[in-house]
Amino acid sequence: MTDMQPEFLRSTRTSYDAIAPAYAEAFPDWSADSAPLDRSLVAAFAELAREHAPAPVADLGSGPGSVTAHLHALGVPVFGVDLSPRMVALARRAYPDLRFHVGSMTSLDLPDETLGGIIALYSIIHVPTEHLAATFAEFHRVLAPGGHVLLAFQSGDGDDHMRLIERFGQEISLDYHWRTPETVAEALTGAGLLLHARVLREPAGEERRPRAFVLARKRP
Ligand SMILES: C[S@@+](CC[C@H](N)C(=O)[O-])C[C@H]1O[C@@H](n2cnc3c(N)ncnc32)[C@H](O)[C@@H]1O
């Protein structure tokens, strides 16, 4: 990571580095903590991704690694990528048999058309809307023909934005962008991807916002 990075990447990385251990403790197991519908959408993605094996899936914004581990358990060849070196260290420690790399979804250190799929759960929320088109163009570049991308994010009306300056008792500066499935779907199709499905799930338990899932794929 160089100093040429945009400010939003630097502040996101520093913020997640600060909260990584507390975050990993608060969200130890994505699969156990998820609603059945969320798990079934990830299972559907896994089935689509397995068709491209041995081409791997990249879990972008893999955090503490439990989504990556869940996909691995579903028989998907998968590795994680995260902006925060501390998150990557925690993921490697928790899942020593899996691969995790430091990197940004906005500029992937991967050759063209090599991924069987991309999954990014609750990580595009930290990419400003003006950077979405370039990020999805990057997804399109690295996906193999026919490869799918599954995105999950908390949904918000229009283009809501929030900056958190404290979390888990740590001082941070972390921006969240809440978008509608339509806004995200439009950015995906604008990058040349074909829309496959959009799901909006009502908030459950202590969730405050609807959960959106968008599935798209690269033209075969
Ligand atoms: C809310 S956590 C979600 C973690 C995991 N996907 C999950 O659902 O449990 C967001 C993660 O995305 C990572 N992240 C944010 N922006 C990123 C970027 N541009 N590239 C890669 N990772 C990013 C953060 O470091 C953090 O680990």
Side-chain angles (χ1 to χ4, degrees), residues 52-72:
H52 294 272
V57 162
D59 176 11
L60 302 180
S62 45
S66 68
V67 175
T68 319
H70 180 67
L71 283 167
H72 174 73

Side-chain angles (χ1 to χ4, degrees), residues 13-138:
R13 184 189 56 200
T14 310
S15 297
Y16 271 104
D17 272 349
I19 63 172
Y23 185 97
E25 206 179 314
F27 304 105
D29 184 347
W30 177 84
S31 170
D33 293 342
S34 293
L37 183 70
D38 304 12
R39 272 197 303 274
S40 68
L41 290 167
V42 170
F45 168 78
E47 192 174 333
L48 294 165
R50 279 196 305 263
E51 288 172 14
H52 294 272
V57 162
D59 176 11
L60 302 180
S62 45
S66 68
V67 175
T68 319
H70 180 67
L71 283 167
H72 174 73
L74 293 177
V76 176
V78 60
F79 63 93
V81 175
D82 201 282
L83 191 59
S84 154
R86 210 159 173 209
M87 279 291 198
V88 167
L90 289 171
R92 285 179 181 153
R93 195 188 310 159
Y95 306 103
D97 295 338
L98 301 183
R99 286 185 302 132
F100 296 93
H101 310 287
V102 176
S104 175
M105 68 174 80
T106 55
S107 171
L108 291 162
D109 189 13
L110 294 169
D112 294 356
E113 306 207 324
T114 45
L115 293 182
I118 288 175
I119 187 165
L121 305 189
Y122 308 104
S123 49
I124 66 158
I125 53 174
H126 299 302
V127 176
T129 299
E130 63 269 28
H131 289 270
L132 266 195
T135 302
F136 293 162
E138 187 66 346

Side-chain angles (χ1 to χ4, degrees), residues 122 124-125 129 152-162 176-184 199-201 203 208-214:
Y122 308 104
I124 66 158
I125 53 174
T129 299
F153 47 95
Q154 295 91 341
S155 181
D157 279 343
D159 192 5
D160 300 350
H161 171 246
M162 169 181 98
Y176 293 77
H177 304 271
W178 317 118
R179 291 172 281 246
T180 61
E182 289 69 31
T183 304
V184 171
V199 174
L200 193 63
R201 172 174 71 64
R208 274 181 276 171
R209 292 169 181 273
R211 299 295 169 116
F213 297 83
V214 180

Side-chain angles (χ1 to χ4, degrees), residues 170-192:
Q170 300 291 324
E171 237 178 74
I172 57 170
S173 176
L174 187 55
D175 288 335
Y176 293 77
H177 304 271
W178 317 118
R179 291 172 281 246
T180 61
E182 289 69 31
T183 304
V184 171
E186 219 171 274
L188 285 166
T189 54

